[in-house]
Amino acid sequence: QVQLVESGGGLVQAGGSLRLSCVASGRTFRRYVMGWFRQAPGKEREFVAAISWIGGSTDYADSVKGRFTISRDNAKNTLYLQMNSLKPDDTAVYYCAASLGSYPPLPVGGDGFGSWGQGTQVTVSS
């Protein structure tokens, strides 16, 4: 399985921006559909965004559409999540995940992803 390490989290004021990165080990990164999930305290993990093997297709949760952008650089084995216009409700631990499942459609459930990173904390102050 691929190993995933997230970075880029931090504390930001509402309306601000952050870019999360997720670096994958190994030479098979381009074979994985990738996704971002998040989990806020006391809440269940929720889908944020997903992207196909070469980035031609993306999907987003309604709550982040128009504010977040998922992208990938297969040459660098890196997945990104650009987060703009951040809100306090975006506060959560953000996880990247990798899927070898069938596509299309892009998986949006956690069960569709077999490898997970350790998470990075994003805190948005009001």
Side-chain angles (χ1 to χ4, degrees):
Q1 290 188 343
V2 65
Q3 304 298 316
L4 305 171
V5 179
E6 302 98 333
S7 63
L11 174 64
V12 64
Q13 288 187 333
S17 298
L18 282 174
R19 188 176 80 157
L20 306 183
S21 299
C22 172
V23 178
S25 63
R27 301 180 178 180
T28 60
F29 178 68
R30 65 175 58 85
R31 297 181 185 176
Y32 290 85
V33 169
M34 299 297 296
W36 287 100
F37 290 76
R38 66 187 182 186
Q39 187 167 19
K43 296 185 177 181
E44 293 186 353
R45 181 179 61 194
E46 65 174 356
F47 168 78
V48 174
I51 188 167
S52 60
W53 303 307
I54 58 173
S57 294
T58 57
D59 196 6
Y60 296 90
D62 288 343
S63 59
V64 307
K65 280 182 181 177
R67 300 189 297 122
F68 290 11
T69 302
I70 188 172
S71 63
R72 66 191 296 165
D73 185 338
N74 287 344
K76 296 182 178 180
N77 278 15
T78 303
L79 174 73
Y80 302 100
L81 184 68
Q82 177 66 44
M83 305 186 295
N84 299 328
S85 302
L86 283 161
K87 306 174 181 179
D89 285 349
D90 295 319
T91 295
V93 177
Y94 284 71
Y95 300 90
C96 70
S99 171
L100 280 174
S102 61
Y103 157 80
L106 287 168
V108 297
D111 291 347
F113 292 82
S115 298
W116 295 81
Q118 84 290 346
T120 185
Q121 176 71 47
V122 172
T123 303
V124 184
S125 63
S126 57

